[in-house]
Amino acid sequence: MARKQNDESAISLFSFQDIITSLTGIMFLVVLLLVLVMLTNKKPTAEEVVVDPQSQQLQQQIQQLKAELAALQQDRSTLDEELEKLRQLSPEVLEARKNELYEQLQQTRQAITQEKETLTRNQQQLQAWQQLLADTQQELQKQLQKKDEQLKKQKKVQKQIQKQKEKNQQQSKVMAYTIERDSFKSPLLMEVSAAGIQLLIVDSQAYHDFRKPDNFEKSLSDAYAFLSTLSSSSYYLTVIVKPEAFEYSSKIRYELKQKGFSRGMEIMPDNATSIFEEQKP
């Protein structure tokens, strides 16, 4: 008996296997693409970021330009609003505004004219005050000159008074003397002080100053040298001794005696008194 033929075909899984394989390959491909994208878009760390000064400057300029652009846009918006307001004005309103501005202009011109007139008056008044001030200064200058002349005269008078006062004071220290003519000899006055010797020939009023404040002996020797030129038979000496030079009186009296001069001696009441007006050596 013949074998019965099986008409049903066997189930094949090749198509399903192909789909699974293709899907797996696609998944691998997607995963690889995602990894590549992640690696490409990786953000740099703080250490990796290097700031370029030029780039930073450009960024700052960009920020500044953006700010200026925003300000210009704001101004433009404001101008557009103002322009829109002006567009909405009617010719009558514009005419009234023009007249108002013209009236304000006229008032401003009048105010400027008045200010100019006031300024001119003030300048004239200032010039008058300046002239008055100049005249006053001249008058004051003249008065000052007169005051200066008066002051000079007063100073001159004061100097004269001072000189006269000093002279009077000096004269108050000068001791008056009287010459007695009992002898045919001419008198010769000798004043002895700590500063030295002063001589006066009374008849001729010849004054000789031999004072040497630092060297009394030298003053005395010079005076003796002068006396040696005079004749002891023609002159007699009156020796006036101040208290400060009293220690020299005996020595001088003795030496004059040795030289043959007749002599007398007087003691001054104090060191300030003198028989001569000029006491400075």
Side-chain angles (χ1 to χ4, degrees):
M1 183 176 172
R3 191 176 180 179
K4 188 179 180 179
Q5 187 178 359
N6 190 5
D7 295 333
E8 295 180 0
S9 58
I11 298 173
S12 177
L13 297 176
F14 288 108
S15 299
F16 181 73
Q17 185 179 1
D18 292 337
I19 292 171
I20 293 299
T21 303
S22 299
L23 184 59
T24 302
I26 291 172
M27 291 299 292
F28 276 115
L29 182 59
V30 170
V31 171
L32 290 174
L33 289 175
L34 288 174
V35 172
L36 182 61
V37 170
M38 289 177 65
L39 291 176
T40 303
N41 296 333
K42 182 181 179 181
K43 293 184 179 180
T45 61
E47 292 79 3
E48 296 174 349
V49 174
V50 178
V51 179
D52 186 5
Q54 187 176 3
S55 300
Q56 186 177 6
Q57 184 179 3
L58 291 174
Q59 290 178 0
Q60 292 177 356
Q61 291 179 357
I62 291 172
Q63 294 296 332
Q64 185 177 0
L65 290 174
K66 286 182 179 180
E68 292 178 358
L69 180 60
L72 290 174
Q73 290 177 351
Q74 183 67 27
D75 294 341
R76 180 179 178 182
S77 300
T78 304
L79 291 174
D80 290 340
E81 291 177 0
E82 294 293 334
L83 183 60
E84 186 64 25
K85 290 180 181 179
L86 291 175
R87 287 175 180 173
Q88 293 176 0
L89 294 176
S90 61
E92 292 79 6
V93 174
L94 293 174
E95 185 66 23
R97 181 60 177 167
K98 184 187 75 171
N99 294 333
E100 182 181 355
L101 292 175
Y102 182 75
E103 184 177 358
Q104 291 179 358
L105 178 61
Q106 292 297 327
Q107 292 176 356
T108 303
R109 288 177 177 175
Q110 291 178 0
I112 292 173
T113 303
Q114 292 177 357
E115 290 292 335
K116 288 182 178 180
E117 293 176 355
T118 303
L119 180 61
T120 302
R121 289 194 298 269
N122 291 336
Q123 288 179 347
Q124 293 175 352
Q125 187 175 5
L126 180 61
Q127 291 177 355
W129 280 107
Q130 288 178 345
Q131 184 63 35
L132 179 61
L133 179 62
D135 296 339
T136 305
Q137 287 178 346
Q138 291 180 356
E139 184 65 25
L140 289 175
Q141 188 68 26
K142 291 179 180 179
Q143 293 180 2
L144 287 174
Q145 290 178 355
K146 290 181 180 180
K147 291 290 184 182
D148 289 339
E149 292 177 356
Q150 293 177 357
L151 183 60
K152 290 179 180 179
K153 291 180 180 179
Q154 289 178 357
K155 288 183 177 179
K156 186 176 180 180
V157 172
Q158 287 178 355
K159 287 182 178 179
Q160 292 176 352
I161 293 174
Q162 184 65 25
K163 288 182 179 179
Q164 186 64 36
K165 184 178 179 180
E166 292 176 355
K167 185 176 180 180
N168 292 336
Q169 289 178 351
Q170 183 68 27
Q171 289 178 351
S172 65
K173 297 179 182 180
V174 177
M175 186 179 69
Y177 57 88
T178 303
I179 304 299
E180 295 181 359
R181 298 288 184 171
D182 293 339
S183 172
F184 63 90
K185 294 182 180 182
S186 299
L188 193 153
L189 298 178
M190 173 186 286
E191 182 178 285
V192 183
S193 65
I197 307 298
Q198 298 179 80
L199 287 172
L200 175 67
I201 300 175
V202 177
D203 291 342
S204 63
Q205 290 295 306
Y207 171 75
H208 301 275
D209 189 357
F210 300 104
R211 286 176 295 174
K212 290 180 174 53
D214 298 330
N215 194 341
F216 182 84
E217 296 296 334
K218 175 64 175 172
S219 173
L220 188 60
S221 63
D222 291 345
Y224 288 158
F226 174 74
L227 290 175
S228 64
T229 62
L230 302 177
S231 174
S232 61
S233 60
S234 301
Y235 294 92
Y236 71 91
L237 279 165
T238 299
V239 182
I240 311 297
V241 182
K242 292 187 178 183
E244 63 186 12
F246 185 75
E247 58 180 311
Y248 303 108
S249 59
S250 299
K251 178 181 178 181
I252 293 174
R253 186 175 182 180
Y254 174 77
E255 291 179 352
L256 290 176
K257 182 179 179 181
Q258 295 297 320
K259 295 180 182 297
F261 283 97
S262 301
R263 72 272 173 220
M265 183 168 290
E266 296 289 341
I267 304 298
M268 290 285 189
D270 53 55
N271 293 325
T273 305
S274 175
I275 62 174
F276 304 108
E277 292 185 4
E278 177 60 39
Q279 299 186 50
K280 294 182 181 180

